[in-house]
Every structure is written in C-alpha cells, then in structure tokens.
Amino acid sequence: LFPLAKALAQAGNELTTIIGGRSEKYVILFDELAAFSKETIATTEDGSMGEKGFVTGPLKRILDDPAAKPQAVYAVGPVPMMRAVSDMTRPYGVKTIVSLNPIMIDGTGMCGGCRVTVGGETKFVCVDGPEFDGHLVDFDNMMKRLRAYKPREDADHEKYHCRLEAAAARLEAAAATHAK
C-alpha cells in the first residue's frame, strides 16, 4: 500500500487513508502514510488505536457523504477485508482495486498455485496481478483455494514455530512480575 499511496499522492491525488489491525501493534506505517494523506484514520478491533472496529466503518461514512465520495478505493490486506470493502463499494459504483496475495510458488504462472477467477476468467496473480478489480474477483473461490493449504500450514507452524514468540512471552511475564 505504501508505494502505491505515495505515488498517487505525488501524482496530485488527494488521499484519505484508512488503516486497520487487530490492535495497535498491528497497525503499521500510520505516520508514514499520514505524511502525504489529507486524512489518516486508524481502526483496531480492540479499540487500542483509533476507532474500535474495522476499516469498513469509516469507509461507509465516506461513501455515504456525497462531498467525500472517492473516485477509487484501493484495498490491501486480508482477503475477508478486501472482500468486505469490495462488497461495500459496489452499490456506490466506486472503482475498487484489491491487491491479492495467495501463495505463489514459481512466479511464472506455471504451477497454478496463485490461480484466481476474475470476471469469469482464470488469472494468475504472480503474472497477471497482483492488483485486480475487486468487483470482479471471485472471493468465494479464492478463499476456498487458500483453505486448501491450511492443514499443512497449521502442522508446519506447530512443528517449526518461531522460538522468539516463547522468549518474548517469557520476557513480558518477567517484566510484569517486576512491575508489581
């Protein structure tokens, strides 16, 4: 999102940036995006930064305001969020570009791992994307394909999880004990 937003701003576009995360620690590049955005809105699921909720809350307010209606919306992030944004902008007729991020293996389109359906046509994210018209993406199919790898990802995560996570948890527990 950052290079795209920066380029749009440098081309003379006025940007409103809505950035979200589960909590404040997952909201990245807020200050950097704010540097060239007219307005920057943060949302977090737990309310630890900005508005409590999802990016679709402020987006809906913007879409409902005729004076603020955007010419285009660019959504980058988790598939369910990009789908929700695309579903929300469709009735308003606002062009919506999503940046898809399925598993890519060879980067040539030959393996088919990143295959998606866009406008009824098969596309390969690694060579045809990653940006597509969000109103044409078959999100049901994409999510189904992404779930195909879930059992393997879960097993590998359990087997090869990062040891830093446990070390960080021990440090946080020790810090909490010393703070008492």
Side-chain angles (χ1 to χ4, degrees):
L1 177 63
F2 179 80
L4 173 62
K6 186 175 181 180
L8 287 167
Q10 288 174 341
N13 294 285
E14 189 174 273
L15 274 63
T16 298
T17 302
I18 306 169
I19 188 166
R22 279 182 266 159
S23 65
E24 183 175 6
K25 74 179 185 177
Y26 294 106
V27 176
I28 61 169
L29 299 174
F30 182 88
D31 293 332
E32 293 83 350
L33 289 163
F36 48 79
S37 298
K38 175 186 170 196
E39 181 180 15
T40 308
I41 303 165
T43 65
T44 52
E45 293 176 36
D46 66 1
S48 58
M49 180 179 183
E51 296 181 29
K52 184 173 183 172
F54 301 103
V55 297
T56 49
L59 177 59
K60 177 82 165 105
R61 288 194 307 274
I62 291 168
L63 292 169
D64 285 340
D65 180 354
K69 184 178 173 186
Q71 292 180 357
V73 169
Y74 296 85
V76 179
V79 175
M81 180 275 292
M82 291 188 290
R83 177 186 202 154
V85 167
S86 297
D87 288 346
M88 182 172 283
T89 59
R90 185 178 289 110
Y92 294 89
V94 174
K95 178 180 180 175
T96 303
I97 304 299
V98 295
S99 184
L100 303 182
N101 54 2
I103 291 176
M104 294 183 226
I105 298 169
D106 67 4
T108 66
M110 293 180 69
C111 73
C114 66
R115 184 174 68 239
V116 294
T117 303
V118 180
E121 296 180 22
T122 298
K123 300 286 183 180
F124 299 95
V125 175
C126 68
V127 293
D128 297 320
E131 285 82 23
F132 296 96
D133 181 333
H135 298 152
L136 299 178
V137 172
D138 182 342
F139 284 103
D140 286 335
N141 181 266
M142 182 179 178
M143 290 169 76
K144 180 180 177 185
R145 288 183 52 77
L146 289 173
R147 282 192 299 271
Y149 299 105
K150 185 90 170 96
R152 176 63 188 258
E153 289 173 348
D154 290 345
D156 284 352
H157 179 74
E158 184 64 32
K159 186 174 181 181
Y160 302 109
H161 68 278
C162 179
R163 290 182 293 248
L164 288 176
E165 292 172 4
R170 286 192 303 273
L171 285 173
E172 286 177 8
T177 302
H178 286 90
K180 292 180 183 181

